[in-house]
Amino acid sequence: MKLHAAAILVIFWLGVFTVHMAKGSVGSQPMRKLRCVSLSTQQLNIRNLVSYEKQQVPVNAIMFITATGIKICVSPNQKWVQAAIKKIDQKRTTKGK
């Protein structure tokens, strides 16, 4: 009887171990790309912005990245946002020369 219970327990733990290994641990999962879900309404200082990413899903947004690595999402329809994108693009082209 004890051998039967031990065998069932071993099979159970092997099943749990197999499922865990198939899913992988949290550390082995690829990093998800950050997405904007809400937008800031404040105008940012263009001089502090070093990069940007365009996003359309789940919301239409521009994610600006500051020199310190902070990511801030804003509406792409604002005039200052278009000016900031143009300024960042100009910096990129002058660095490449």
Side-chain angles (χ1 to χ4, degrees):
M1 186 68 174
K2 286 184 180 180
L3 185 58
H4 182 69
I8 291 173
L9 190 59
V10 167
I11 292 170
F12 171 76
W13 284 113
L14 282 174
V16 169
F17 179 75
T18 302
V19 168
H20 176 72
M21 292 305 291
K23 286 185 177 179
S25 64
V26 174
S28 69
Q29 298 296 322
M31 289 288 290
R32 290 186 191 169
K33 191 172 185 177
L34 281 171
R35 293 284 178 194
C36 300
V37 291
S38 63
L39 304 177
S40 174
T41 56
Q42 293 184 331
Q43 182 171 340
L44 306 174
N45 186 340
I46 294 175
R47 290 178 295 195
N48 294 334
L49 305 176
V50 294
S51 184
Y52 69 92
E53 294 177 17
K54 293 181 181 180
Q55 170 190 303
Q56 293 181 335
V57 177
V59 294
N60 191 22
I62 299 293
M63 179 190 297
F64 283 119
I65 300 141
T66 67
T68 56
I70 297 171
K71 297 178 179 183
I72 304 165
C73 299
V74 296
S75 172
N77 302 326
Q78 300 176 65
K79 284 186 178 183
W80 74 265
V81 172
Q82 296 302 319
I85 290 172
K86 190 174 181 179
K87 183 94 169 173
I88 291 168
D89 288 343
Q90 287 174 346
K91 284 182 188 177
R92 287 179 182 167
T93 56
T94 56
K95 280 186 179 180
K97 290 182 178 181

